[in-house]
Each structure stands twice: as C-alpha cells, then as structure tokens.
Amino acid sequence: MLALRLSLGAQPAVQVRRLLVAGASAGTGFLLLSALGHALTHPDPSASALRLAWCAAPLAATVYLAVAVARTDPATRPRPGLSAVGLGPAKLMAISAATTALSCLLGSALALLVFLQLRGDLTGMPLGGGAREFLAAGRPLPMPAALTLLAVVPLSAAAAVAVTLRPREPVTGAGRVYGRFGAYRRTTTLESFGAYGRFGRQLGAAARGRRTAGAPAGDQQDGTGAESAVGSGPEPADGSGAVVPPVVPTVVPTAAPSGLPWGVTVLAVGLAVEALTSRTGSGDGPAALLGLALTCLGLALVGPGLTHLCGRLLQAFRPGALRLLAGRVLMTEATRIGRPLGVVCAVVAAAYAMASLHDREDPSAGPLVVLGVLLVAGCTVATLLTAAVEAKQAHSGTTESLRRLGAPAASLRRAAALRAGALLVLFGPLTVAVAELSAWPLGG
C-alpha cells in the first residue's frame, strides 16, 4: 500500500517515466504472447523457440529502462529523517522494487487485454490475414502459460531494481578511526573542537590558517590535480561573524572503469562465433543468435571505458579550459553515461544485423519485428536521455558555482557540445564497423 501511495503521489514527470515503463512492459508482454500464439499454430518447436529467443532483447531493454527510472525516482531516494519512521535504505529499496513491479504489471495487463481483443476472445471478431499466425485465433489459449510469460517482465524488473538499489556500505581507503566523544567514522580527517561547541567558528579559522601558512590560494590543488581554490583575498563572513571558506567548483575525475578489456574480449568472441556459423552454414540458427548476443554485450561493456578514454583524449596536447572541463566531466560520468551509450550502440548494431536474420518469407513476422525494433530502440534512447538528465543534476552545484565565478553560459554550452561531438566521433565509426562485421557473416 505504501508503494501504491508513493506511486500515485509522485510528480507528473515521474509519472510520465513510469508510464514509459508500463508501455515498454506492454510491448514486451505482447511479443511474448505472440510467441506463444505462434507455438500453438506451428508444430515445429525450433521456429517457436527462435521467436521466443528474439524476445530477450525487448525484455532486456525494458528491464534496463525500469532500472534507470527507479534510480531517478525522488520518492524512493534516501533522505534525512526517514530512518526514524522505519524507512531505511533497505525499506526504500523494497518500495522502489514494488513500484517498478506495479508499473510492469499494469503494462502486462494491458498487453493481455489487447492480445485477447485481437484474438476475438472479447468481441468475437478476430483479425484475419497473417495476424492469425501469431494470434492463434480459434484455438484455446492456455491461460497458465500466458500468465507465466506475462510475469517474466515484472519479476525481472523488480529483481534488477532490488539488486541495483540494494544498500551498500561506503568503501574508503582508511580504516575505522575513533573521533571525539567516542564517535567512529571511516576517515582520517580530524575535526576541530569548534565544530561542536562554537558552530564552525574555529573550523573556519583553522581552514584560513592552513591556507595562509601554505601556498597562495590560487595555486592550491587537491590530490587529483583538479583546481580546488580560485582567487585570493578576504573571505566572506556569515551573520555570526565566523569566517566561511568560499564555495569552489571542483570536477574530480574518477578511476578508469575496469570493463574495457572484458568488453573487447567478449566482442571478439562474438564476432568469431558469427564467423564460425557463417562458415558452417548455420547463419540463422541459435549459434548465430549467441554470436550476435555476445557481440552486443561486448559493445555495451566497452561503453564506460571508451567514454573515460574519450575524456582523456580531450585533455591531451596542451588543452585549454574548455577541453579540460569537457574532458573531466566525461571522465567523472564515464560509467553513468557510457553504459547506456554502449547499449544504444549495441542496439543499432543488432538492428542492422537483424535485417539479414529474420525470415522474409513469413509475412506475420513483419509487424512483430517492427514492434520489437521500435521497442528496443525507444527504451535504450529513453534510458540514455534519463542518464544524461541524471548527470546534469549531479553536476548542478558545480555549474552554479562556475556561473557565480563569472563563467559565461555560452562556454558551458560549448563544453556540452564538445562532449557530445567527441562521443559521436568515437562511438559512431565503432558502431558502424561492428554492425558491418556482424551482418556480413550472418548474411552469408
């Protein structure tokens, strides 16, 4: 009930994202029911199994979109004071998984109603022509099998959200250190007594003393080389007279993602499997699907690593302020942006290769192929846009600090355009090359 109340009381933008998840679930559920209808009208189990296997791509895209929407849901985000009423991180994770399951269940119910309507079970007027092949009109529909297939999407999405949003203990390099009054923490930075007794007065004075005794303010840098202080001179004071250090924008690059070697390996294995199936003459069998799946998985895995590499290349060869800012943002958001970008490239490559794999002699497969392609493409693009919005929100504080320091808005827009152009230059030719290498052996 709590998950339902949070779902109904969300903002309109959040409701639109949840409706997108419900629509994607409805499309995937309809494809699963179509595979069941094809199995009822065709005695060959291999063809029906192949159709069911093709539903794995829309299912994965729907689950991926559901996870992205759950990550940006403000209703299930940990906030101060919620633990006091029993809404800790674990409870919020469970609520988010339940909310995702409700959205997917709505879509699955809609898919069942549409499928029954097209079969003629509700009005007695089924569709004719090639649609009868996958609707199994005139045959009894095994409802337990249909409900089992429809339950795959809600269960998979809820499980993926629960795994993604599970509570994690923060990992730091320092061990447990006991501070004042017996409080323990995982940091070695000691706080001044004034932070407890004088509301930050001594903390601000200590920070000023350390900066005065050290290097000039304009030359101070943090451990990663990112600029941590801008300008010098007197510091502003708050209403209590305590000296407050200035708010300084910092963009600290993270470590390089570790999935690039694994992604390249999986990509090479997938292309090798596709080439082997082409030589053995089984370019339209399960082995071809396995090779294509491995190729797409490898392309998705290399996304974060290539995004981080793109950020490094932007800062090479005597960069200016514009390239430094664009490159460091790409390095910081390599995982958040690179993963959905790699998935989009994998979808484009797979869609290009599907043209040589699907059965052109089966007229009933045409609308389903179009539905599957549109569903996967729409889910991946929506996930990428959601990740871009999430990254923009994560750097909103840095952007505001840069604007307060006098950075023109045009420069920030040019940095964003530079990031987008660099990613397009790197991922565009790679996607085209992988798509050609995948379609060439599969097409015989």
Side-chain angles (χ1 to χ4, degrees):
M1 291 301 297
L2 181 58
L4 182 60
R5 292 179 62 183
L6 290 177
S7 300
L8 296 177
Q11 298 177 357
V14 179
Q15 298 287 12
V16 169
R17 291 196 293 265
R18 290 172 180 170
L19 287 178
L20 288 177
V21 175
S25 176
T28 305
F30 187 83
L31 291 177
L32 291 173
L33 292 177
S34 301
L36 176 62
H38 185 272
L40 293 176
T41 55
H42 292 76
D44 186 10
S46 60
S48 301
L50 183 61
R51 286 206 173 197
L52 186 62
W54 276 119
C55 297
L59 174 62
T62 302
V63 171
Y64 198 50
L65 176 61
V67 171
V69 171
R71 285 169 57 93
T72 58
D73 193 349
T76 57
R77 189 173 303 167
R79 293 183 297 274
L82 291 182
S83 298
V85 294
L87 294 179
K91 189 63 174 294
L92 290 177
M93 178 268 295
I95 293 175
S96 181
T99 303
T100 303
L102 287 176
S103 300
C104 294
L105 282 175
L106 177 62
S108 297
L110 179 61
L112 181 60
L113 290 177
V114 172
F115 190 78
L116 293 177
Q117 173 68 25
L118 295 180
R119 276 173 48 90
D121 295 340
L122 300 181
T123 60
M125 298 178 61
L127 290 181
R132 298 180 63 90
E133 296 293 330
F134 64 86
L135 292 176
R139 294 176 177 266
L141 182 67
M143 194 56 64
L147 294 179
T148 301
L149 288 177
L150 291 177
V152 171
V153 180
L155 292 178
S156 301
V161 169
V163 172
T164 304
L165 302 182
R166 69 185 185 276
R168 296 182 177 89
E169 183 71 18
V171 180
T172 56
R176 178 174 295 182
V177 179
Y178 288 89
R180 301 185 186 274
F181 310 113
Y184 63 87
R185 58 192 171 207
R186 295 182 180 272
T187 177
T188 57
T189 304
L190 297 179
E191 294 182 356
S192 170
F193 183 80
Y196 296 94
R198 305 188 65 180
F199 305 102
R201 182 185 300 270
Q202 299 297 332
L203 182 61
R208 183 186 59 179
R210 286 194 301 269
R211 192 173 65 179
T212 304
D219 298 334
Q220 289 182 354
Q221 292 182 349
D222 56 6
T224 61
E227 188 178 357
S228 60
V230 179
S232 60
E235 298 173 348
D238 57 5
S240 62
V243 180
V244 180
V247 178
V248 180
T250 57
V251 181
V252 180
T254 58
S258 59
L260 184 58
W262 290 102
V264 173
T265 303
V266 174
L267 180 61
V269 171
L271 293 176
V273 170
E274 291 179 3
L276 181 61
T277 57
S278 176
R279 295 189 60 180
T280 57
S282 58
D284 55 350
L289 289 179
L290 176 62
L292 183 60
L294 289 176
T295 302
C296 296
L297 178 61
L299 193 57
L301 289 177
V302 300
L306 291 181
T307 304
H308 193 275
L309 177 62
C310 186
R312 283 189 175 275
L313 293 178
L314 279 179
Q315 301 176 80
F317 306 108
R318 302 175 64 88
L322 191 64
R323 283 200 290 152
L324 275 176
L325 179 60
R328 292 196 175 188
V329 170
L330 282 181
M331 293 172 66
T332 306
E333 301 295 333
T335 302
R336 184 177 297 172
I337 297 179
R339 186 180 292 117
L341 183 58
V343 172
V344 169
C345 296
V347 168
V348 172
Y352 187 83
M354 281 176 61
S356 59
L357 277 181
H358 79 272
D359 191 4
R360 297 181 178 87
E361 297 180 358
D362 189 1
S364 64
L368 298 180
V369 169
V370 173
L371 175 61
V373 171
L374 292 179
L375 182 61
V376 174
C379 288
T380 51
V381 172
T383 304
L384 179 59
L385 295 178
T386 303
V389 172
E390 184 181 2
K392 182 179 179 180
Q393 293 175 353
H395 289 281
S396 59
T398 302
T399 303
E400 290 297 327
S401 300
L402 289 174
R403 289 177 178 175
R404 285 198 302 267
L405 291 173
S411 298
L412 300 178
R413 288 194 296 266
R414 285 198 296 268
L418 181 60
R419 293 194 299 269
L423 292 176
L424 182 61
V425 168
L426 181 62
F427 281 91
L430 176 64
T431 305
V432 173
V434 172
E436 289 289 345
L437 290 176
S438 299
W440 174 63
L442 294 178

